[in-house]
Amino acid sequence: MKLLLTLDKKLRSNLLILFAAGLLFWCSMASFLPTLPLYVDHIGGTKQEVGIVMGSFAIGLLSFRTRLGKFSDRRGRKIVLLIGTLVVTIAPLLYIGTNSIYGLIAIRAFHGISIAAFSTAYTALVADLAPEENRGEIIGYMSLVSSLGVAIGPAVGSYLVETAGYPQLFLFASGLGFVSILFSTQITNPPINSSGQKNNKSKFWQLFADPKVRVPAIILLLVGLNFGSMRTFVPLFIKSTDAGLNPGLFYTASATAGFSVRLLVGRAADRYGRGLFVSISLILYVIALVNIWSANSSQSFLISGAIEGAGLGMLIPMISAIIADRALPEERGRMFGFCLTGFDLGIAIAGPVLGTVAEEIGYRNIFAFSAALSCLAFLIFITQSSKDVSHSLRFAFGRGQDLYALNQIDRNLTTKHSQS
C-alpha cells in the first residue's frame, strides 16, 4: 500500500475515486446474491425457476461483454463505466413490484449488462493508469473491490431483507449504484490513441487465432468451469456428507484467502514475473479440488476453500496484468473482454454441463473431474503461454520474460536494430 503514497497526486486521486466507484458497484451487485433467490421463492417461484432467473444474468453478460470492450477502445473507458453504473442503478428499481417470473428473467438479463460494462472498463482503465513498472501491484490492489464488495454486499442485503423488506433492499442497491455514478463522473479518462484505431478493425473472434490472447482465454474458460462447479455443487456435496458444516463458511474461507493473496501477489509479480504466479494459482486449484474430492470433515472443506480462494485471488489479477502487458491501450478493452468472456462462459455452462456429469458419477467425483480440468489448464499454460514450449516453460516458472509483452518486444526490436 506504500506504493500509493509515492504516486503522482493526480494519479493517486484518480485511482482512489475509481476504487470507491468499484466498491459501491460490487456492494450493490453482491447484495442480490443471497436475497434474489429468496425473492423469487417469495413470489411463488419453483426451485427450477429460481435457477433460471439467477442464470439469466449470463444473457446480458455474455451478449454485451465483447461489444462493450471494443466500444471502450473506441470511445474511452469512462463512458462504459458510466453505462455499467447506470444499469446497476436502474435494474434494482425494476424488481420492485415485479411478480412475473418472465419479468424477472428479463430484468436479470438486463442487470447482467452492468458487469459486462463496468468490470471490463474498470480493468482496462486500471491498466491504462498504472505505471508499467508497478502494474502488477496496482492491479492487485485495485482488484480488491470485488472481494470487498462480495464480503460486504450479501451481509447488508440479508440484513435489509430481514429488518425492512425487499423494496428497501432494491432502493438501497439502486442508491449505491447512483453514488457509484457520481464517483465515476469524476474519473479522468486517459486520451484514446485514435491513430491506432485503423489497426484495430479485425473481427472480435479473430482474436482467437492470436496465441497471446487465446491461451489466457482458454485458461480462464477452464478455471471458470471449475469456479462455477464449486459455486453450484459444493453446498450440495457438503450437505450429502456428515461434515455438519454451514456451506457459507466455505465461501468465507475462500473470500478471506483471496483478499489476503491479492494484497501480496501483485508486487511479487512485478519482481518475479506474472507466469510464475499463474502456474502457482493453477497448482493451488488442483490441490483445492483434490482436497474437496477427498473431504469428509468441516476442517477439510474449510482448508479447501482457503486454497481455492488463494488460487483465484492470484489468477485473476495475474491474467489481467499479462493482458495489459501484451496489449496497446487502444486494444485493451476488446482483449480484456475476450479473455473475461472465457471466464463468464465457463461459469455459465458449469451448471448444465457438469451437472450432467454429476448425474453419472456423483457429486464427489465431479471434483475429481474438475481437478483434471485444472491439470489441463496448467499443462496448456506451461507449454503454450509463450512462442514455443521452451520459452513457455521458462515464462511459466519465472525463469524467462513474457515474449509477447510489448516492452519485451520493443527491447528485442531495439537489440536487432543495433546489431544490424
Side-chain angles (χ1 to χ4, degrees):
M1 290 293 187
K2 293 180 180 179
L3 171 64
L4 294 177
L5 299 177
T6 67
L7 297 176
D8 174 77
K9 183 178 180 180
K10 185 177 180 180
L11 173 58
R12 182 170 65 248
S13 175
N14 222 17
L15 289 172
L16 290 174
I17 293 170
L18 181 59
F19 189 94
L23 181 59
L24 290 164
F25 174 88
W26 283 107
C27 283
S28 175
M29 291 298 309
S31 67
F32 286 90
L33 291 176
T35 55
L36 190 58
L38 298 175
Y39 182 68
V40 179
D41 179 72
H42 173 73
I43 65 172
T46 65
K47 292 180 180 179
Q48 183 180 27
E49 287 170 339
V50 170
I52 293 172
V53 170
M54 297 303 291
S56 60
F57 189 85
I59 297 173
L61 181 56
L62 291 172
S63 299
F64 285 87
R65 171 85 84 177
T66 59
R67 293 181 176 90
L68 289 167
K70 197 168 185 177
F71 185 69
S72 77
D73 289 334
R74 292 178 175 176
R75 299 293 301 276
R77 321 298 184 205
K78 185 174 180 176
I79 189 171
V80 180
L81 278 176
L82 289 170
I83 290 171
T85 54
L86 183 62
V87 173
V88 89
T89 301
I90 295 172
L93 299 177
L94 300 178
Y95 289 109
I96 299 176
T98 302
N99 296 317
S100 163
I101 295 299
Y102 291 110
L104 289 176
I105 290 171
I107 296 168
R108 191 65 177 161
F110 173 68
H111 210 167
I113 298 173
S114 62
I115 286 187
F118 190 89
S119 63
T120 303
Y122 181 93
T123 307
L125 183 54
V126 171
D128 291 345
L129 293 172
E132 184 180 301
E133 64 274 13
N134 303 117
R135 184 178 287 154
E137 186 173 1
I138 290 177
I139 288 176
Y141 292 153
M142 296 296 288
S143 69
L144 289 171
V145 291
S146 57
S147 297
L148 287 171
V150 171
I152 298 169
V156 176
S158 296
Y159 175 77
L160 282 173
V161 168
E162 291 174 5
T163 59
Y166 290 106
Q168 286 71 24
L169 164 68
F170 300 144
L171 289 171
F172 174 76
S174 178
L176 290 177
F178 180 73
V179 180
S180 184
I181 290 177
L182 297 181
F183 276 110
S184 296
T185 60
Q186 302 304 308
I187 293 168
T188 302
N189 194 93
I192 300 172
N193 180 11
S194 58
S195 63
Q197 296 297 322
K198 62 184 179 181
N199 298 320
N200 194 17
K201 299 288 187 181
S202 58
K203 292 183 178 180
F204 178 81
W205 287 106
Q206 289 177 341
L207 285 171
F208 196 76
D210 189 345
K212 71 180 181 182
V213 188
R214 180 180 68 243
V215 171
I218 291 173
I219 299 301
L220 287 179
L221 171 64
L222 293 171
V223 173
L225 277 166
N226 292 336
F227 180 83
S229 72
M230 278 188 278
R231 268 51 190 173
T232 304
F233 300 115
V234 162
L236 297 169
F237 180 42
I238 291 175
K239 186 177 179 180
S240 71
T241 67
D242 296 324
L245 176 70
N246 178 350
L249 295 177
F250 175 90
Y251 301 118
T252 299
S254 175
T256 302
F259 178 87
S260 302
V261 164
R262 288 175 193 244
L263 286 172
L264 303 173
V265 69
R267 184 176 182 182
D270 285 334
R271 182 174 181 180
Y272 300 107
R274 326 290 191 208
L276 175 63
F277 293 95
V278 172
S279 298
I280 292 172
S281 71
L282 294 173
I283 291 171
L284 289 174
Y285 242 84
V286 174
I287 294 172
L289 288 160
V290 170
N291 279 357
I292 295 172
W293 170 65
S294 61
N296 286 300
S297 66
S298 58
Q299 184 179 18
S300 298
F301 281 113
L302 290 175
I303 292 172
S304 300
I307 296 173
E308 184 270 336
L312 190 68
M314 195 178 296
L315 179 71
I316 298 300
M318 289 303 95
I319 292 291
S320 298
I322 286 173
I323 295 301
D325 292 342
R326 294 177 175 186
L328 294 168
E330 61 266 23
E331 62 183 1
R332 278 183 187 143
R334 69 189 188 117
M335 288 177 69
F336 277 124
F338 181 83
C339 291
L340 291 173
T341 296
F343 190 67
D344 299 337
L345 181 61
I347 295 173
I349 66 176
V353 171
L354 296 182
T356 302
V357 176
E359 288 288 338
E360 299 296 327
I361 63 177
Y363 289 134
R364 182 178 294 276
N365 289 326
I366 196 66
F367 297 108
F369 180 81
S370 295
L373 291 179
S374 289
C375 285
L376 176 61
F378 176 70
L379 291 174
I380 290 172
F381 185 74
I382 66 173
T383 60
Q384 304 296 317
S385 59
S386 193
K387 295 187 176 182
D388 53 49
V389 174
S390 176
H391 285 98
S392 294
L393 287 167
R394 285 200 280 271
F395 173 58
F397 292 107
R399 309 300 295 178
Q401 297 289 330
D402 180 3
L403 298 186
Y404 290 124
L406 295 183
N407 60 343
Q408 181 65 24
I409 293 171
D410 290 343
R411 284 198 293 269
N412 289 343
L413 290 175
T414 301
T415 301
K416 290 179 180 179
H417 180 73
S418 63
Q419 289 175 344
S420 64

